Amino acid sequence: MKRTTLALPALLAALTLAAAPAAAQSRNCAPRDTVIKRLAEKYGESRQSIGMGQQGMVMETFASDETGSWTITVTTPNGMTCLVASGQSYEVLAEALPNTDSDV
């Protein structure tokens, strides 16, 4: 799988952080160390990106280059990490910004 820079849309990050309280209520949460260990051991996933959200929450994307599996997590300030989304066919993208010059 190609290794380039990851580009996550701002909308996805916003939706991810908004979903964290709901995920916490559905018991898809555990201490961060436990979640990271399980993602590595069971799925071969490592952290690919990280971002800060509202109210001190941290969004992270984990993925496996070998299998293409991916997981998005949100960690709350108290150290609980919630699984927000997961799937297959992960790819790393490096997309250039569109040209915004009005002279062109």
Side-chain angles (χ1 to χ4, degrees):
M1 200 169 282
K2 292 187 288 185
R3 299 277 309 158
T4 54
T5 308
L6 175 68
L8 284 179
L11 179 59
L12 176 59
L15 291 173
T16 299
L17 294 175
Q25 293 174 358
S26 67
R27 300 183 189 261
N28 289 328
C29 303
R32 186 176 184 281
D33 291 342
T34 302
V35 173
I36 303 286
K37 183 177 179 183
R38 182 168 175 92
L39 291 175
E41 291 177 351
K42 187 168 182 179
Y43 302 101
E45 295 180 4
S46 62
R47 185 168 61 185
Q48 304 294 312
S49 67
I50 187 170
M52 292 295 298
Q54 297 176 356
Q55 301 172 348
M57 289 192 229
V58 177
M59 184 276 305
E60 297 172 287
T61 303
F62 295 83
S64 168
D65 286 335
E66 295 198 11
T67 67
S69 70
W70 58 267
T71 304
I72 297 175
T73 65
V74 173
T75 302
T76 61
N78 69 3
M80 291 299 287
T81 297
C82 300
L83 302 178
V84 178
S86 63
Q88 296 295 319
S89 302
Y90 179 80
E91 290 186 40
V92 181
L93 303 176
E95 295 180 354
L97 291 174
N99 186 353
T100 58
D101 282 341
S102 59
D103 295 340
V104 178

